[in-house]
Amino acid sequence: MDITNLTVHELMEKLQNKDLTSTEITKAYINKIDKKEEDVKAFVTLLKEEALKQAEQIDKKRENKEIESNVAGIPIGIKDNICTKGVKTTCSSHMLENFISPYDATVMEKINNENLINLGKLNMDEFAMGGSTEYSYFKKTSNPWNLNKVPGGSSGGSAAAVASNMVPWALGSDTGGSIRQPASFCGVVGLKPTYGLVSRYGLVAFASSLDQIGPITKDVEDSAILLNLITGHDKKDSTSANIEKKDYTLNLKNNIKGKKIGVPKEFLGEGINKEVKENIEKAIERYKNLGAEIVDISLDIANYSLATYYIIACAEASSNLGRFDGIRYGYRTKEFKDLKDLYKKSRSEGFGEEVKRRIILGTYVLSSGYYDAYYKKAQQVRTLVMKEFKKAFDKCDVILTPTAPTVAFDIGSKTNNPLEMYLADIYTVSVNVAGLPGISIPCGVDKEGMPIGMQLIGNKFEEDKILNLAYAFEQDMKFREKYKPEFKK
């Protein structure tokens, strides 16, 4: 038995039945990292020794009946923009290359309270800006299905680590599709929760009104389990929603008869890869056979979501990244003439090309004379996008779309064309603009055997509905039984 092939709920059962110990599970994952990391390059910081020590302690506590949590002793990987006390949090940037966080993000506190074992910090596009994990200062992560292809981004390290069985599950962050798009490219499950459901305290900010932490897992049930662990109101985050906690595992049922699934015609039109479209159409047929009702809807305003997203995201990035000035913490240039020169050189040398591109764009749209024309207008369109989704949810329970217009592309094929890279987010950004929950689950593969992702979008705080429909599809299709990463070179 390969322990690393098991889902988290299967590992939980084996721990409960004393078939496995936490030490055995952790060792199995460390062995897998030793075998696969050289090819996949998913980690920025590895915590192998610390993980083993923690696993041994948890096994002792479990023997002495000092542990209540049923996920205790299960390893996890953490995206490297989530603050982890005493561990480097680099955001895959030269700017924060040696930054050791003095505190834990709220999600890390929750994970530590459950005695999960942090195996390490995972690679990403620098400051979460990018869709391929090629914009990391440290390394380019490869897709486990084909090592010449990108894993998606910005949570590419998280998705690749789960797909290659180097971690059983991971945390990512999603600003415009950064959990769902890499999940689609790597054939795993990625959930972006409703804005405010999971605390952002301790997440290094990219675009504060769009960012959200969420799970990347092997299957839908694991996604519901991890979502249960990380949700909840947080006084330290002013945007955290104070709503009643749900148990998302309770709604994982196969019965979806009578559920209404909206399919927007705009998302299956121009620009979509033929094989992606065919697999989405097959998924729609599968839902019909499972008893769901398919409703044709229009989301015309979604056409404007991409421009709206990039204006808002870059404006907020420009503001948020102003704190990295070479004075307080982070990278500082070695030679400078005066204060202005210190700022200029520290930021020029510390940030990569994509981050600088977005800071410049964001500063431009916030500048005097352009603020009303761009930023204010984008916020007005954002309201229209929210209203458009609200109208759609009057007709259906969830909305079904592709996650990305293509499968994973070759490493290096789009880095010289930022606009083409931005278009890879066309189906995901509207979910962040409207603050809605979205999940990507695998729905097939193309002729080359690369995974294709399907996205289900829910109304605010209705994660249980999208999880239910995702679970029913997953149980019927059995993607994990049919397809496995090939690690082709």
Side-chain angles (χ1 to χ4, degrees):
M1 174 183 68
D2 181 353
I3 292 169
T4 65
N5 272 333
L6 300 173
T7 59
V8 170
H9 53 91
E10 287 166 342
L11 290 173
M12 284 162 66
E13 202 180 307
K14 297 216 173 282
L15 280 169
Q16 220 168 356
N17 298 339
K18 298 186 176 171
D19 296 333
L20 285 173
T21 64
S22 178
T23 305
E24 286 168 333
I25 293 167
T26 307
K27 275 183 180 166
Y29 277 100
I30 288 170
N31 290 339
K32 188 58 64 91
I33 290 167
D34 290 340
K35 279 184 198 160
K36 302 288 184 195
E37 173 58 13
E38 195 183 333
D39 286 331
V40 180
K41 303 179 185 71
F43 285 87
V44 174
T45 303
L46 273 163
L47 301 169
K48 292 195 268 192
E49 284 171 28
E50 296 88 334
L52 272 175
K53 204 179 284 182
Q54 197 184 342
E56 285 161 13
Q57 288 167 353
I58 289 165
D59 283 335
K60 275 179 198 162
K61 283 181 183 173
R62 190 176 266 114
E63 263 177 51
N64 300 332
K65 300 200 167 112
E66 291 169 29
I67 276 184
E68 286 176 23
S69 168
N70 51 5
V71 291
I74 289 173
I76 190 167
I78 307 294
K79 187 176 178 179
D80 206 20
N81 60 347
I82 297 170
C83 285
T84 314
K85 191 176 180 179
V87 177
K88 276 187 186 182
T89 299
T90 71
C91 292
S92 290
S93 176
H94 185 30
M95 182 61 83
L96 288 175
E97 188 175 1
N98 298 307
F99 174 67
I100 293 173
S101 177
Y103 70 100
D104 272 324
T106 297
V107 288
M108 287 310 300
E109 285 176 4
K110 288 176 181 284
I111 274 167
N112 293 338
N113 288 344
E114 297 291 337
N115 285 291
L116 287 176
I117 295 168
N118 182 4
L119 272 174
K121 305 298 287 290
L122 295 158
N123 198 28
M124 56 185 276
D125 285 299
E126 185 184 2
F127 283 103
M129 298 181 198
S132 63
T133 315
E134 292 171 282
Y135 296 122
S136 165
Y137 173 70
F138 303 108
K139 55 180 80 168
K140 287 180 172 69
T141 299
S142 289
N143 191 316
W145 294 74
N146 182 331
L147 298 168
N148 297 314
K149 295 190 183 288
V150 300
S154 63
S155 307
S158 298
V162 173
S164 57
N165 286 340
M166 291 195 285
V167 293
W169 55 6
L171 285 182
S173 71
D174 192 309
T175 307
S178 289
I179 285 174
R180 290 159 290 149
Q181 186 247 29
S184 170
F185 282 7
C186 291
V188 291
V189 176
L191 173 65
K192 181 254 162 200
T194 305
Y195 184 77
L197 186 67
V198 179
S199 171
R200 290 183 302 110
Y201 179 77
L203 173 69
V204 179
F206 161 15
S208 306
S209 73
L210 301 161
D211 298 340
Q212 192 65 133
I213 295 169
I216 294 178
T217 58
K218 292 178 185 179
D219 71 358
V220 176
E221 188 174 341
D222 284 0
S223 193
I225 293 165
L226 190 45
L227 189 63
N228 277 350
L229 302 184
I230 61 174
T231 57
H233 179 60
D234 181 16
K235 287 176 185 167
K236 290 179 282 196
D237 174 6
S238 61
T239 59
S240 175
N242 195 356
I243 58 166
E244 199 179 323
K245 244 175 116 57
K246 290 181 184 177
D247 180 350
Y248 295 101
T249 60
L250 296 179
N251 210 31
L252 300 179
K253 301 182 181 85
N254 282 332
N255 183 11
I256 56 164
K257 280 191 174 64
K259 295 281 183 208
K260 291 182 177 176
I261 300 172
V263 179
K265 59 178 186 286
E266 293 84 357
F267 285 64
L268 289 171
E270 236 177 279
I272 185 172
N273 169 285
K274 184 168 162 274
E275 290 178 76
V276 171
K277 188 176 179 179
E278 282 168 9
N279 275 276
I280 294 297
E281 284 166 349
K282 280 182 198 165
I284 291 166
E285 286 306 310
R286 194 180 287 273
Y287 270 123
K288 281 183 189 170
N289 296 337
L290 289 170
E293 188 186 328
I294 303 300
V295 183
D296 289 327
I297 60 167
S298 176
L299 277 176
D300 187 37
I301 202 73
N303 292 331
Y304 307 104
S305 291
L306 196 67
T308 304
Y309 165 80
Y310 274 102
I311 289 168
I312 294 169
C314 292
E316 292 183 12
S318 162
S319 173
N320 278 324
L321 270 62
R323 70 193 69 173
F324 303 108
D325 53 13
I327 303 290
R328 288 160 287 191
Y329 55 88
Y331 174 79
R332 179 188 287 202
T333 188
K334 288 180 176 61
E335 292 175 22
F336 54 93
K337 292 184 291 225
D338 52 26
L339 188 62
K340 195 175 175 184
D341 197 40
L342 167 64
Y343 288 156
K344 186 180 167 185
K345 281 187 176 169
S346 296
R347 288 169 69 77
S348 298
E349 294 163 16
F351 290 134
E353 291 305 309
E354 182 61 24
V355 174
K356 285 190 270 199
R357 188 182 291 126
R358 297 199 194 194
I359 290 172
I360 290 164
L361 183 57
T363 306
Y364 175 77
V365 301
L366 288 175
S367 62
S368 174
Y370 295 102
Y371 180 91
D372 285 359
Y374 293 105
Y375 185 70
K376 188 181 174 187
K377 190 151 275 181
Q379 292 290 13
Q380 288 167 335
V381 176
R382 182 182 211 167
T383 306
L384 294 176
V385 172
M386 288 175 178
K387 283 180 181 169
E388 190 88 1
F389 271 112
K390 200 166 181 290
K391 272 197 308 195
F393 286 119
D394 288 340
K395 298 177 189 169
C396 59
D397 296 296
V398 305
I399 295 166
L400 186 155
T401 76
T403 307
T406 65
V407 294
F409 44 87
D410 289 344
I411 291 170
S413 64
K414 292 190 182 181
T415 41
N416 294 326
N417 190 341
L419 283 179
E420 205 180 317
M421 188 81 86
Y422 297 166
L423 283 167
D425 297 334
I426 196 151
Y427 300 137
T428 51
V429 291
S430 54
V431 174
N432 299 76
V433 169
L436 302 172
I439 191 169
S440 175
I441 58 168
C443 68
V445 296
D446 73 353
K447 283 176 193 146
E448 286 183 24
M450 294 305 289
I452 292 165
M454 169 181 76
Q455 177 177 227
L456 296 171
I457 304 164
N459 209 343
K460 280 189 179 180
F461 302 111
E462 290 188 352
E463 278 76 2
D464 44 352
K465 283 188 183 176
I466 57 173
L467 284 162
N468 176 24
L469 280 148
Y471 180 79
F473 181 90
E474 180 187 78
Q475 295 300 301
D476 190 65
M477 192 199 170
K478 298 182 169 35
F479 179 88
R480 286 189 74 240
E481 288 175 28
K482 292 176 188 168
Y483 307 106
K484 289 197 170 38
E486 289 181 29
F487 294 92
K488 285 188 292 196
K489 283 190 182 174

